[in-house]
Amino acid sequence: FLKIQRTDNANVPGVSFVGQAGTAGANILFDGTSGSANELIFQTFTVAGGIAEAFRVTGTGAKVSGILTIPDGSVTDNYAGFGDADDLKIFHNGSHSIIRETGTGSLYLQSDNNVIIGKDSSSETMIKGVADGAVELYHDNVKKFETTASGVSVVGSVTSTGATDLT
């Protein structure tokens, strides 16, 4: 074991990695004292920003500063997994982005405000769930169907195939 001991509260001990000309490259720091929260801090060098924190491991979890990149994956590798048995998986398979719930429960999308499913550019709404109100369905960003307190509202014609009774 390599032991690096903190001798006062002013200095954070760690390991520095330097480049060929002695320039800063990366740091691994230890921040904490006996009886307090201990953290490992990983810093990297970028030309634009110099040395900056990229990743921090704390007693309650981890924090990424910047972008966490996971390569294309599948249900068996390269995914972000959540739950004891990775019941929730999020990944991109090279063609599609997938959120997969494989546990015994349901997949919930929850918000104290509206829930909107739309294009990435935010220019087109497909489905909108209004908090404490309607569910709206859109066609090419034009609302066509909406639930109301008394039933439903439809904009345009209603076409039914095989319906025998509309009472």
Side-chain angles (χ1 to χ4, degrees):
F1 288 102
L2 171 64
K3 183 177 182 180
I4 301 172
Q5 185 171 354
R6 183 178 191 158
T7 58
D8 60 31
N9 287 330
N11 297 310
V12 177
V15 178
S16 290
F17 300 89
V18 294
Q20 180 178 355
T23 58
N27 296 323
I28 301 173
L29 306 173
F30 170 74
D31 189 10
T33 57
S34 179
S36 68
N38 296 316
E39 300 179 342
L40 280 177
I41 303 164
F42 296 82
Q43 299 174 327
T44 59
F45 177 81
T46 63
V47 175
I51 288 283
E53 182 176 316
F55 187 69
R56 180 181 292 250
V57 179
T58 69
T60 58
K63 173 187 163 191
V64 175
S65 299
I67 299 170
L68 173 64
T69 302
I70 300 173
D72 287 346
S74 67
V75 295
T76 58
D77 68 342
N78 293 340
Y79 60 81
F82 303 89
D84 290 340
D86 288 344
D87 294 345
L88 175 64
K89 296 179 181 181
I90 300 174
F91 61 94
H92 188 273
N93 68 8
S95 299
H96 305 285
S97 298
I98 299 166
I99 300 172
R100 178 170 287 176
E101 161 57 44
T102 60
T104 57
S106 300
L107 175 65
Y108 288 83
L109 299 177
Q110 296 181 327
S111 172
D112 287 339
N113 297 301
N114 300 334
V115 174
I116 299 171
I117 297 175
K119 288 180 75 172
D120 181 43
S121 62
S122 298
S123 64
E124 184 174 324
T125 299
M126 299 170 192
I127 301 170
K128 182 177 183 181
V130 179
D132 302 319
V135 174
E136 304 170 350
L137 302 179
Y138 292 75
H139 177 82
D140 198 18
N141 208 34
V142 176
K143 184 169 37 170
K144 295 295 183 175
F145 186 92
E146 173 182 14
T147 61
T148 66
S150 60
V152 297
S153 174
V154 177
V155 176
S157 61
V158 176
T159 304
S160 175
T161 303
T164 56
D165 185 7
L166 295 176
T167 56

